[in-house]
Amino acid sequence: MAKITIYNVKDYEKPFYEDLNKYDFDLNFVTGPLTAENTNMAEGSVGVLIDGSTNADADIFAAMKNLGVKYVFTRFVGYNNIDLKAASARDITVARVPSYSPYSVAELALTMGVTLTRHVAQATTNTHLGNFMILPSYFAKEIDQLTVGIIGVGHMGAAEAKLYHNLGAKVLGYQRHPNDNPDVSFVDETELLASSDIVSIHVPYFPGENDMMIGATEIGSMKDDAILVNTARGELVNTGAVTAALDDGTLGGYAADVVPDENQIFGKQFDSLDDLPDQELLDLMKKYPNVIITPHMGYDTEPALEDMIKVSYENFHDVLTKGETENQIK
């Protein structure tokens, strides 16, 4: 029976891992993410399963090699937190889950966009302070009047496009190789930014290639009251430029389920918001209620969790029985 150590498992997730364990793996659950301090928890394991909260660097792979771990897999789509060269140097195979329920992230992105468009955060903040006046700033469009721009119309982007389309919005899409999607009218990025009331990002992050792909120039091309939504990766957006645009009144709002260098922030409890280690993020978050930040929770739904577990188990079963999995990262 192959032993698999699964890091950063929440109590409510354990029954799913157990019920879906059709290959009868010997499961070893660890509450926190994999770090240099708890690598010993994987002793006796042939493989470990991590998520995006782990910075899988050379030190961690060296420790895994010493423990005899052959496989370090992630249950997430993104893998920019994994040092692939360090893994390869130690003959450790890395694999991922290429997709899971796309509606998990898509629904959160839509919720964020509509929340800011309808000024719900501002209104609830005021009512909880005792102000029940209908302010001029609450005046809004309805969804079927909106133009929504999706940057990256893959699984998740297409799911959000379908949700908005079914609600009556006009949906524009931009990606390098447009596909045949009946819910989307594909345009170039310039037209999408200029025409959209909500711009939602769903592209993978490639360090050194598309860092801060949305910056001052792109934001300056958007409508002054437009909403920017980022459920992809924090590094894709220049948070300083977002703050400046909010100060200038050239951006209506920003919502994100991701932040730059999120492993130093997400999963942690700070005594005060002022204790955040990222000053740019702190400045941005103080723009609430025009800014909404959630702790990378888009994937945290029952269907998405089930998909992550099922595919991860198939990945382990494949490498153990066939020597490779179609989802391994070269």
Side-chain angles (χ1 to χ4, degrees), residues 151 189 193 199 201 210-223 228 230 233-246 250-251 254 280:
I151 299 179
E189 184 179 30
L193 292 172
V199 174
I201 307 170
N210 60 351
D211 300 77
M212 298 189 185
M213 61 175 285
I214 302 296
T217 300
E218 291 74 21
I219 294 170
S221 300
M222 296 169 62
K223 297 179 180 180
L228 178 62
N230 181 14
R233 283 294 182 269
E235 288 80 3
L236 296 171
V237 173
N238 184 331
T239 53
V242 173
T243 300
L246 291 169
T250 54
L251 184 67
Y254 180 63
E280 277 198 351

Side-chain angles (χ1 to χ4, degrees), residues 180-192:
D180 185 15
N181 188 315
D183 302 318
V184 180
S185 297
F186 285 96
V187 297
D188 61 33
E189 184 179 30
T190 301
E191 182 177 346
L192 183 147

